[in-house]
Amino acid sequence: MSKGLGTTVGRSSRRRILRLAGGGITMAALGAGLTGCEDELATGGEGSTPPPRSASPEDGKASEDGKAPEPLWTKSTSAQTYGDNDELVAVDGVVIASGDPLTAFDGATGEERWSLPDGAVPGAPLLLGDGTLYLESGKYDGSVAGYVPGSGKEAWRSRLGKEYRQPRPVAVDAEQVYVIAEILEADGSSHTNVIAALNSGTGKVAWKEQRDLGTQQNGVHAAVRGRYLVYTDFKNNLTVRDTATGKQVWTQKTTKTSYGPFVVHQDLVIVPQGQRLQAFALSDGSEKWSVRAEEFTTFREPTLLEGVLYIADSGRTLWAVEPGTGKKIWQSTALKDAGGQVPRQFVKVGGTLYGATDLDKQGGVHAFDAKAGGLRWTFNDKSGDYHAWLVATDGKRVFALHGKKLHALPA
């Protein structure tokens, strides 16, 4: 199965502005943020490491006073992220955040393992497939490149063609890298775009299909499941294509625009649509189940972990759902009771579920009991940075990125 669950390309300012507006950020602060100005942590400057931590609780459990564990290490990074889940990855002993230069840190020590100037477009997805990290080239030369995550060495490179501008990877499986690119007109403008598959062995174009007029190459989330390539966009489209030929299997309008990732499970695609969480058959788009949140609440981004779908709603209720049936496993109001911020991305280690939030002071990284949703602790670096939190895990540590600060927490 591909990494591409909920992968995003073309981070649009629209989504970013929506998040900032939701947090009550002024346009003056937004302007400062877009220039890359960041607040520094009280722990110090670049590469700073916090004081030695006390003994950490096991398996993500809170200490006796309910406080979050101290970071194992904290580093300043070149990260330039827009809050999407695929901008931070942990693989092959390193943790990498989207930015320029693209830098990999040793997961255990925080030491820099490699750095790649112009390696990727800041904010672009970091796609993992068959031991390779696939990137949209930061040189803006129309190429897509693949690297060995542990070393940063280039292993693969491909170009879609001179008649296309800046192909952007959206998903990857064991055989192909799927990209979307603008189709160039004679005057250098572009009004249409193409979706294509590049062979991950040879780099040759396997197929390419022009998308409908009016579709955008920005704001696309994509995933691959067997013969199906699934994607959503800002135009309220949910589309499935055949991975072998590129031909459209079906497409339909969604009831709400999807600004975040969705989930693919077996023969279903599961998409949050405002107050409803809906599951559609990959084969024909028919609805298979639907879950409704309370009135005036909306679902956030879902995450599928170890066969369970985790999702929060705007009413600060956390849900665990059976992805095949939509049956509720449990609901937790622990966040509402604690006045915490709603998580929008999850990772799981052992019996602990970790959720990353947007930019609220009561947010950060929440640690929940995965069996019932109880809140164990919340980690926040108190930096005041306007960026959303991102999390990733290597199974031993949980990596939390906030602006340009990367923290390693004991899992």
Side-chain angles (χ1 to χ4, degrees):
M1 177 182 163
S2 78
K3 148 71 176 69
L5 294 182
T7 297
T8 312
V9 294
R11 268 57 182 184
S12 71
S13 59
R14 180 179 177 184
R15 177 174 180 180
R16 192 178 191 185
I17 289 171
L18 283 171
R19 280 197 169 153
L20 293 170
I25 305 297
T26 65
M27 290 308 295
L30 173 62
L34 293 176
T35 62
C37 296
E38 315 291 338
D39 289 331
E40 289 292 332
L41 278 177
T43 51
E46 183 172 351
S48 62
T49 301
R53 62 187 182 90
S54 57
S56 298
E58 295 181 358
D59 194 29
K61 294 182 179 179
S63 57
E64 291 183 3
D65 57 5
K67 292 183 179 179
E70 292 292 329
L72 301 167
W73 51 260
T74 294
K75 293 287 181 178
S76 292
T77 75
S78 59
Q80 293 172 271
T81 62
Y82 296 86
D84 284 294
N85 298 358
D86 45 28
E87 297 173 314
L88 179 70
V89 296
V91 60
D92 290 351
V94 298
V95 55
I96 308 168
S98 180
D100 186 17
L102 190 69
T103 305
F105 295 93
D106 186 283
T109 67
E111 296 301 313
E112 183 179 309
R113 290 267 290 268
W114 55 262
S115 183
L116 192 64
D118 299 323
V121 174
L126 307 177
L127 298 184
L128 294 169
D130 199 25
T132 302
L133 175 66
Y134 292 98
L135 305 170
E136 175 185 358
S137 175
K139 296 180 179 179
Y140 299 94
D141 58 0
S143 67
V144 179
Y147 298 89
V148 178
S151 66
K153 293 182 179 179
E154 184 175 315
W156 179 90
R157 186 171 290 269
S158 178
R159 286 177 172 82
L160 185 59
K162 293 183 179 180
E163 66 270 36
Y164 306 102
R165 179 163 52 200
Q166 199 59 27
R168 299 168 177 175
V170 296
V172 59
D173 59 22
E175 298 179 354
Q176 296 178 149
V177 181
Y178 303 91
V179 302
I180 289 181
E182 298 174 343
I183 301 174
L184 290 176
E185 306 292 338
D187 62 358
S189 64
S190 178
H191 309 288
T192 54
N193 60 88
V194 66
I195 187 165
L198 306 174
N199 186 285
S200 57
T202 65
K204 293 182 178 180
V205 178
W207 52 258
K208 54 187 175 183
E209 293 285 332
Q210 182 172 329
R211 298 177 69 211
D212 294 340
L213 186 67
T215 57
Q216 301 176 358
Q217 71 278 5
N218 294 327
V220 173
H221 290 77
V224 185
R225 167 69 70 179
R227 56 169 291 206
Y228 299 112
L229 170 65
V230 192
Y231 56 92
T232 59
D233 60 33
F234 282 150
K235 293 291 186 178
N236 294 46
N237 296 307
L238 173 61
T239 303
V240 174
R241 290 183 181 270
D242 189 298
T243 56
T245 65
K247 298 300 181 182
Q248 186 169 286
V249 179
W250 57 267
T251 188
Q252 65 185 36
K253 289 292 183 180
T254 53
T255 57
K256 298 283 185 179
T257 297
S258 178
Y259 291 105
F262 55 86
V263 160
V264 173
H265 172 72
Q266 297 179 353
D267 58 349
L268 299 176
V269 51
I270 305 168
V271 186
Q273 297 294 294
Q275 192 181 355
R276 298 177 70 195
L277 181 66
Q278 294 174 278
F280 303 96
L282 284 174
S283 59
D284 59 12
S286 59
E287 183 177 305
K288 294 302 181 181
W289 58 257
S290 176
V291 173
R292 185 178 293 273
E294 292 184 4
E295 191 174 5
F296 307 121
T297 61
T298 58
F299 282 110
R300 301 297 300 272
E301 297 95 325
T303 303
L304 184 65
L305 299 169
E306 298 178 5
V308 177
L309 188 149
Y310 298 98
I311 191 168
D313 63 39
S314 61
R316 293 185 289 185
T317 297
L318 183 63
W319 302 58
V321 176
E322 290 183 359
T325 64
K327 181 180 179 181
K328 179 179 65 179
I329 300 173
W330 53 255
Q331 277 181 300
S332 171
T333 60
L335 268 181
K336 184 186 299 184
D337 299 339
Q341 170 70 324
V342 178
R344 38 155 297 278
Q345 182 197 10
F346 300 95
V347 297
K348 184 174 180 287
V349 183
T352 302
L353 180 71
Y354 301 87
T357 77
D358 279 337
L359 51 144
D360 190 271
K361 288 183 179 180
Q362 301 304 315
V365 175
H366 300 306
F368 302 95
D369 173 11
K371 292 183 178 180
L375 181 62
R376 290 176 171 172
W377 48 260
T378 299
F379 173 80
N380 194 310
D381 58 16
K382 308 299 182 183
S383 69
D385 192 288
Y386 64 85
H387 284 86
W389 287 81
L390 295 174
V391 289
T393 184
D394 60 3
K396 299 178 181 178
R397 293 160 287 267
V398 172
F399 303 102
L401 179 68
H402 190 211
K404 292 187 179 297
K405 292 296 182 182
L406 178 62
H407 311 276
L409 303 175

